[in-house]
Amino acid sequence: MNDGPSALAELAEDTTLTRPFSGASPYEEYVHASVLNTLQQPLTEAADEMGFLVTTQVMELWFTLIVHEWRTAREAFVKDDLPAALDALTRSRRALSALNDSWQPIAALTPLQFEGFRAAFGRASGFQSAMYRHIEFLLGEKSEALVNAHRGDPAVHEALRDAHREPPLYDEVLCFLHRQGLPVPAHVRERDVSLSYTSDPAVVELWRGVYAGSPYEAPALLAEALTDIAELVARWRFDHLMVVRRAMGAKPGSGGTAGLAYLEQRARRVVFPELWEARGAL
């Protein structure tokens, strides 16, 4: 293989790198950047609205990736493929970290800055995000009422209805552990997965036993991967709460929720509660 100055000279002479493209570039055909860059349509002249729009749209993309990775992990658990499941969970952890960082462009909006464009989007609200609902359903937080709230969009409604009926990620984790010989009770494995998951003392004891053993065993590595995810989700919810508190205080939410009070209630919900309760039992 050539390297050094001669290789650079050959690269410089490669006309495929400099000649104009006939039609869309390979980059455009793959990424569709021109489509993405037409989706920001501010409704006011407020200087901060563009940042709000981009931030919201970027978060929706991160939601999509996180849902993809959690579904991939869930399928891997069904197949008893722990390495593939852990890989997907690790990728989702990185996506969650990036999602949390996405708050930065709007994290310091003042009430005056936010009011400069808030009225323009009317009753639009992040509460109405269908993809975020998929995230919550995968976390075991089910709500038929929130599925029905999307009846106006048949395709979205059908996808959410299917997700509502499917096992959350954590349920498949527990079924996987049962097949590996860990004592997951039948009433947990056979529960109605269209209902929200609630903590079970026997599962707390299961995780206590996992943590009492070697931290290098597969169940302990899985427990920590799930704990990382739970913590990052909690941080996202708390940051959401703080952004809203800073920008609009305790005003009602634009989508019809109680605003700050609703976010405070969501922030108190613990993801994978038994993993946290087990720590107090050691």
Side-chain angles (χ1 to χ4, degrees):
M1 177 182 292
N2 291 333
D3 54 14
S6 61
L8 292 175
E10 291 176 7
L11 186 63
E13 293 173 0
D14 187 348
T15 58
T16 63
L17 300 177
T18 57
R19 68 188 181 207
F21 291 109
S22 56
S25 70
Y27 177 83
E28 171 61 28
E29 290 177 349
Y30 184 67
V31 177
H32 302 293
S34 64
V35 176
L36 286 172
N37 294 332
T38 63
L39 300 180
Q40 298 76 46
Q41 301 173 19
L43 301 176
T44 73
E45 297 296 323
D48 297 285
E49 188 182 5
M50 186 66 164
F52 184 83
L53 263 176
V54 170
T55 295
T56 304
Q57 291 172 348
V58 166
M59 285 186 174
E60 284 290 333
L61 292 173
W62 286 126
F63 293 163
T64 299
L65 178 58
I66 292 163
V67 167
H68 169 77
E69 298 296 3
W70 286 351
R71 286 174 175 164
T72 300
R74 183 177 63 184
E75 292 170 7
F77 283 121
V78 170
K79 298 175 182 177
D80 293 333
D81 189 347
L82 181 60
L86 287 174
D87 280 348
L89 293 178
T90 297
R91 293 192 300 269
S92 78
R93 183 185 66 204
R94 294 170 184 150
L96 279 163
S97 295
L99 170 66
N100 290 358
D101 288 341
S102 299
W103 285 116
Q104 290 305 310
I106 62 171
L109 278 177
T110 67
L112 186 61
Q113 290 169 334
F114 187 47
E115 285 300 320
F117 60 88
R118 187 190 184 202
F121 57 75
R123 294 184 62 80
S125 169
F127 173 75
Q128 298 157 354
S129 168
M131 194 54 66
Y132 186 67
R133 205 63 60 208
H134 281 281
I135 281 183
E136 291 193 321
F137 288 177
L138 279 163
L139 290 174
E141 299 182 6
K142 300 292 186 76
S143 169
E144 188 171 355
L146 291 176
V147 174
N148 293 335
H150 292 270
R151 278 181 172 168
D153 189 328
V156 169
H157 179 251
E158 182 178 0
L160 281 173
R161 186 176 57 190
D162 291 343
H164 185 260
R165 296 168 177 167
E166 293 169 352
L169 171 64
Y170 188 66
D171 284 71
E172 293 297 0
V173 167
L174 295 179
C175 289
F176 163 78
L177 291 175
H178 172 73
R179 292 191 297 274
Q180 304 306 305
L182 277 71
V184 181
H187 68 268
V188 173
R189 292 182 279 113
E190 298 167 4
R191 77 178 191 89
D192 182 352
V193 296
S194 69
L195 302 177
S196 291
Y197 187 89
T198 57
S199 179
D200 186 275
V203 179
V204 174
E205 178 59 22
L206 180 157
W207 288 120
R208 189 204 65 76
V210 167
Y211 277 112
S214 168
Y216 306 107
E217 295 292 333
L221 295 176
L222 173 57
E224 284 302 277
L226 293 171
T227 302
D228 286 344
I229 288 170
E231 181 174 339
L232 286 166
V233 171
R235 290 182 185 278
W236 189 86
R237 289 174 174 172
F238 180 76
D239 286 351
H240 189 184
L241 168 65
M242 294 307 298
V243 169
V244 170
R245 177 178 285 162
R246 187 162 181 165
M248 55 179 270
K251 293 179 182 178
S254 55
T257 71
L260 195 67
Y262 173 79
L263 294 177
E264 288 173 336
Q265 180 265 327
R266 300 302 300 169
R268 287 194 294 270
R269 293 185 67 88
V270 179
V271 177
F272 310 146
E274 293 138 342
L275 285 165
W276 302 97
E277 294 171 34
R279 285 161 160 76
L282 288 168

